[in-house]
Amino acid sequence: MPSNPDWVKALKPSGPSGSSVLAAERAASPVNADSLSTLLFTAPILERNQKILDILQRDPVFDKSQNYFRGRIERIRAALARGKRLQQLTVAHGWSPDEYQVAYELLGEPTPYGLHAGMFTVTLREQGTPEQHKLFLQRAQRYEIIGCYAQTELGHGSNVRGLETTATWNASRKTFTVHSPSLTASKWWIGSLGKAANHAIVMANLIIDGTSYGPHPFVVQIRDLKTHETLENIHVGDIGPKFGFNTMDNGFLLLNQVEIPHENMLARFSRVDAETNKYIRPSNPSLVYGTLTWVRSNIVLRSGGVLARGVTIAVRYCAIRRQFRDFDAQGQADESPVLNYTMVQYRLFPLLAATFALHFAGQNMIRLYQANQAVMNGPKSPSDSRRNPGAEELHSHGDLLADLHALSCALKALTSTIAGDGLETCRRACGGHGYSTFSGIGSWYADYLPTLTWEGDNFMLTQQVSRYLLKAARRVTKPTENSMNVDNDTAKILKDFQDRQEVGAAFDVLGDDSHIVSAFAWRVAYLTFAALRRRDEEHTPWNDLLVDFWRLSTAFAQYAVIKSFHQALVDQSLTKSLDAETTAVLRHLFQLHALHTLSEESSEFVTSGTCTVRQIQLVRAKRMKLLAQIRPHAVRLVDAWKIPDWQLDSSLGRADGNVYEDMFYRASELNPLNDITFDPYPSSKTLFRKEKAAISSKL
Amino acid sequence: MPSNPDWVKALKPSGPSGSSVLAAERAASPVNADSLSTLLFTAPILERNQKILDILQRDPVFDKSQNYFRGRIERIRAALARGKRLQQLTVAHGWSPDEYQVAYELLGEPTPYGLHAGMFTVTLREQGTPEQHKLFLQRAQRYEIIGCYAQTELGHGSNVRGLETTATWNASRKTFTVHSPSLTASKWWIGSLGKAANHAIVMANLIIDGTSYGPHPFVVQIRDLKTHETLENIHVGDIGPKFGFNTMDNGFLLLNQVEIPHENMLARFSRVDAETNKYIRPSNPSLVYGTLTWVRSNIVLRSGGVLARGVTIAVRYCAIRRQFRDFDAQGQADESPVLNYTMVQYRLFPLLAATFALHFAGQNMIRLYQANQAVMNGPKSPSDSRRNPGAEELHSHGDLLADLHALSCALKALTSTIAGDGLETCRRACGGHGYSTFSGIGSWYADYLPTLTWEGDNFMLTQQVSRYLLKAARRVTKPTENSMNVDNDTAKILKDFQDRQEVGAAFDVLGDDSHIVSAFAWRVAYLTFAALRRRDEEHTPWNDLLVDFWRLSTAFAQYAVIKSFHQALVDQSLTKSLDAETTAVLRHLFQLHALHTLSEESSEFVTSGTCTVRQIQLVRAKRMKLLAQIRPHAVRLVDAWKIPDWQLDSSLGRADGNVYEDMFYRASELNPLNDITFDPYPSSKTLFRKEKAAISSKL
């Protein structure tokens, strides 16, 4: 469109400027956002992230100004270029995988190389032999081959056992024939497959001499390395647009009796012996188990930051946006900032508190994982002659892994649901402008949503958590068969509950923070034993317990989050690094998160005898008080997340508060729709002749 | 892309076909979907809708096959052509406004003429004088002028009093000068403004001789009728992409001292006398009030059908999709249909029940509105000489209008929230494929979301409902001042509660359906008096009560929905038109809706003394039983909504169950991304030269 006329350029927003409002908000709170961010991330990490941001921001390939306006094809085109550039920068600056990841997250959109850099190379590394590393991994790391990880099929999602694709061993030719026997066998949703990849790791049922050995990974070349044309007997393409994630070329793949060499089956754990034509069983299947736990732990770790993006935008904008006068002060001249309304605080501040709660839960999850890895890897190292574990110790390692696995499942399901749903709450709290793409929340929410489904659907996972808790409860109930680690926290809370079955509970949830943690533990134990009774004594079918299991897993995860947050608060490193005022605000956030959760789940706290009805009423009153206590610090608290404007890409969430100027700039100067003049509209006969012809010609 | 090779064309989905699965589902239930749809819509309406569908489906302008793939500019272009064609068909077939609306909803996307056909002509008709009808309305109806309704501004949403745009009366020239004094005064979000409109009704503060008289409507021409170029001193454009609604050209508008004639102020209610230069006050401001109630009532009426689109898709797909074996039957060969899992039933069936609950609530709302209109219009009709109401009767009309207004606010907030959130639950219940645009839920959800904000933000509205309930409670408490209609249902439930304050409640919610309705009424009364006590006795600030008010309004709306559903069930016309088996299933849906709601809100039912803790536990057990009872009828129940495939536009929700064939067809044959060949990838040096150059050239 013609650039803004001079009289438009001269216009300013009315009322106090957004930047003066945010400055006043920041001046009114003693919270030290810098020391809080250092506590969250550490100083070296913050410095490193800033360096990477500087590099990305000055590179024209990463210019974001047209992102929100592009159609799918243009977005894919840009994302391919950006993925390439990210790799070039990684080489040029010698970025570690962690640093590459930081750049990827700052960029804020998936690229068609995402699954190459992730699952393809990781699977090659973890499941390939040293020979296969040379053959595939090293070339992949040099981007000579581009790959993807093809597991799910059109008719088969979470259940790997249901996959239809086959890889049949040809004993005479020492090859595999990989084949899609039906339409539903088509690989589907495979990231990086639609346009970018020339290789795929195909998960297929291994068949030797008519016997199926279940799904195994096979490397299959699918496109020519020079021309990028699809190879013969292979059909591959992009699966079409999605609710989000549209810079990723999720693809489909069908294989028509494609023959691949023996060396293309990834053979670190299980393999086919080419001499004997026999299947060799995996040496240590639990290692794969460990990878899934790692992936889920990272989803938990990221969830706080994911949600913080939405909360940052909503809190800043609601501090600036003014709407209506306070009902009891109709005489006053000015409209109130929306953030002063308790209804807005009620929607946003529990989420503000959740960002910190999820962050501490994620940090704790990663710490537990790393501690476990250290123990697991310890005895394996041949140089470590001091360690030589007996059977008992190995068993307790198995227990530890089961604990970790269950915790990662429970927390993945809870934290990604809180983050996903929370982003939508933030978007709505921004009122009408939240619906504009320029709010920066909608597209972020849409891109995040698959996290609720992948790496274990959030409802499916809760069955695994409950199975673990039932098993733990059976051990506690029958201590003679007990070989369970007594240090195990789950065993402890179940045992505590059992010991007090004839005494009952009395938790001072409003008077003592540590009692809140105990109350959440009590509820977990109550629900666990109730489910155990229904399953073992009443012989209730598993299917009839799924809702109970989902509730139980949720309770377990909520307990874990609240416990981690409480531990962080009593941790000396926290009290040392933060001043008293910032610590006090953080404690209010803990209380808000815990009491809000308790209040939302209050009927379980009442029916389990954890709290009285009177306590629930008092918790609700306390929640309103906490909202008021947190209000003055809200802007500084989101500042502590230090999410750069470039990453937020939001008119509403800008750190400088220039909301309306930015909205207007994007609409009037960046919006390509305003460059197009449609036919005028003199009469109903001639209008849209062109448009109609254009549409008809496409049919 | 090259068309599918022959070996791909030969592939079929494995396992039982989707169509055989749906056929078996339909055969297994005695529910009569046809008689149920006739009950919902009536036979003439169903027949009419089918006729309109036939017309649209055979018109190439409405071909939907590329909808999901287009970028914003192409979507706007197509939507403009379709809006035009809709109008041509309306003329050709002599469609009534209702029939036009049916066509619009079948089309399933807003067009840039939506606000012209809606708010622009409605406002001209309702607020214009007969002379203005000639000047503007008749030309608008002939589409000679295209208009929009420009109320909200960049800095001002719900609060009309905060609008900054001014219209200053020039006594000497007998004209108005319309002006945007700041950037935040820019009209924003105005549908049909960005590209289509050449006129706007601008809401601006009327200023006469330095005195402001608040916002009034002014007709302003903004673009040339021949060239469609923007007129001088006007700046207009599209505001950019949104989370949904991207076929609508929501626009912005700035006016630089634009002078318009006296006749351009819509003058039916208030006006400026050009002789005396004086402001003439509106004769009947409550008529405007009535229009808002009408608009909200229609949102309530539509909400059931809106949600039914998502539920239809999810129920059909979950009946077809198989995933995992039942845990207790690991030996069985086949995977189970997802719809057999109680966790899926628990997520979907309360929403299936809600579609009917919302529909009956909407019908009841419209009936009340029409009854009220009949009463209101009665005495006004000069031909009706029998009626000559006294002051008392007029007062009771005012009461009736207040009741209606409050009910429409409460129901609008609740039903649009249930529909919006419910659609997202349906999308997630479809697992991974729910994320594909081809699911048909995501885009529908995104397009529906503004309904939660417009015509009164769903949180804001709850204040108005509570104000009404507090007022009603004050009247009941002080009967001497009472002039309230005792037939009024709200007064009745408040009075019943008060009469039994020393007796308490005893509701047989599991044994008697009518007790469920009474229990919901009791909770409303309890919460109303609790809020009244906090406000009037404890003098709690209004702002501190907003969360309580939201809870109260929600409880009031839930009561109204459950009461309407129950009334429909005991209505003789229902029992006459449905067979006993279908009626029994409908009764189970009522119970599921009511008891699910009760269970989700259980803590209020306990703290208000409406139910015992034991009852809550039994309600939860009953809920699980109801899920099992509804399971066999789920597919037939969604069939009863009779949503055509063309409207659903969903691979997953097709009535014939050919889910996987349709997914594959859209991805491999309709997806234009597969027509594009990106450069091959021989080495990191040459890759993306083209893409990079293309991006750099744009900067």
Side-chain angles (χ1 to χ4, degrees), chain A residues 294-312:
Chain A
W294 172 243
V295 173
R296 287 187 192 123
S297 301
N298 273 291
I299 290 176
V300 179
L301 182 64
R302 284 186 66 222
S303 61
V306 164
L307 178 58
R309 250 173 98 157
V311 175
T312 299

Side-chain angles (χ1 to χ4, degrees), chain A residues 25-281:
Chain A
E25 288 277 348
R26 286 169 181 135
S29 164
V31 161
N32 189 326
D34 285 334
S35 61
L36 192 48
S37 348
T38 307
L39 177 84
L40 294 176
F41 305 108
T42 76
I45 295 280
L46 288 167
E47 200 182 312
R48 177 197 73 181
N49 294 358
Q50 182 60 47
K51 267 188 199 156
I52 295 171
L53 175 65
D54 292 341
I55 292 166
L56 298 182
Q57 266 187 302
R58 66 170 174 254
D59 195 319
V61 172
F62 300 118
D63 172 73
K64 293 186 176 185
S65 62
Q66 281 298 309
N67 278 5
Y68 290 147
F69 302 103
R70 289 195 178 114
R72 178 113 200 279
I73 291 172
E74 293 70 38
R75 295 193 70 192
I76 288 275
R77 200 186 294 280
L80 276 162
R82 288 165 182 177
K84 175 69 192 327
R85 188 81 186 119
L86 267 193
Q87 177 53 22
Q88 291 169 344
L89 291 173
T90 301
V91 173
H93 296 280
W95 283 344
S96 68
D98 276 357
E99 287 167 322
Y100 171 87
Q101 190 56 33
V102 169
Y104 201 90
E105 285 180 20
L106 286 169
L107 176 56
E109 66 180 27
T111 83
Y113 297 99
L115 277 286
H116 168 83
M119 279 299 278
F120 184 66
T121 54
V122 168
T123 309
L124 289 176
R125 186 184 307 118
E126 294 196 352
Q127 305 203 31
T129 61
E131 298 74 39
Q132 290 174 322
H133 287 175
K134 254 180 231 156
L135 199 57
F136 303 117
L137 178 62
Q138 291 173 10
R139 288 162 69 207
Q141 286 168 332
R142 290 193 302 267
Y143 280 65
E144 289 168 16
I145 61 175
I146 307 289
C148 61
Y149 180 82
Q151 180 167 304
T152 54
E153 298 177 354
L154 180 53
H156 306 273
S158 305
N159 185 13
V160 181
R161 298 265 146 209
L163 295 179
E164 294 185 58
T165 308
T166 54
T168 308
W169 174 244
N170 308 305
S172 57
R173 294 192 304 281
K174 307 298 173 194
T175 61
F176 299 98
T177 297
V178 190
H179 183 61
S180 314
S182 74
L183 190 68
T184 38
S186 178
K187 295 295 175 185
W188 206 265
W189 284 112
I190 313 305
S192 302
L193 169 65
K195 305 309 286 183
N198 49 36
H199 279 71
I201 292 173
V202 175
M203 289 297 281
N205 284 308
L206 171 64
I207 294 171
I208 307 172
D209 205 13
T211 304
S212 173
Y213 292 87
H216 288 77
F218 298 85
V219 179
V220 182
Q221 185 178 342
I222 54 171
R223 287 185 175 105
D224 186 88
L225 296 190
K226 288 223 170 78
T227 65
H228 210 59
E229 302 231 330
T230 307
L231 301 184
E232 221 187 329
N233 286 315
I234 285 172
H235 197 49
V236 59
D238 174 272
I239 63 163
K242 296 143 290 186
F243 194 58
F245 235 70
N246 281 310
T247 52
M248 178 62 83
D249 58 335
N250 296 84
F252 64 83
L253 173 66
L254 281 160
L255 303 144
N256 185 32
Q257 310 282 5
V258 174
E259 200 165 345
I260 57 170
H262 174 255
E263 64 202 15
N264 281 29
M265 174 177 173
L266 294 181
R268 182 167 164 206
F269 299 117
S270 37
R271 58 193 174 87
V272 176
D273 187 314
E275 303 287 315
T276 62
N277 300 313
K278 294 271 185 263
Y279 178 67
I280 312 294
R281 302 214 160 267

Side-chain angles (χ1 to χ4, degrees), chain A residues 84 146 342 435 446 543 681 684, chain B residues 84 146 342 435 446 543 681 684:
Chain A
K84 175 69 192 327
I146 307 289
T342 55
Y435 195 63
N543 187 31
Y681 191 14
S684 62
Chain B
K84 174 67 191 329
I146 307 288
T342 56
Y435 195 62
N543 188 31
Y681 190 14
S684 64

Side-chain angles (χ1 to χ4, degrees), chain B residues 640-652:
Chain B
W641 278 94
K642 287 247 189 298
I643 305 175
D645 277 346
W646 194 74
Q647 188 175 14
L648 284 180
D649 202 7
S650 163
S651 296
L652 306 184

Side-chain angles (χ1 to χ4, degrees), chain B residues 70-120:
Chain B
R70 288 194 178 114
R72 177 115 199 278
I73 291 172
E74 292 71 37
R75 295 194 70 191
I76 288 275
R77 199 186 295 279
L80 276 161
R82 288 167 181 177
K84 174 67 191 329
R85 188 82 186 117
L86 267 193
Q87 177 53 21
Q88 290 169 345
L89 291 174
T90 301
V91 173
H93 296 279
W95 282 344
S96 69
D98 274 359
E99 287 168 321
Y100 172 87
Q101 190 56 35
V102 170
Y104 201 90
E105 284 180 21
L106 286 169
L107 176 57
E109 65 180 28
T111 82
Y113 296 99
L115 277 286
H116 169 81
M119 280 300 277
F120 184 64

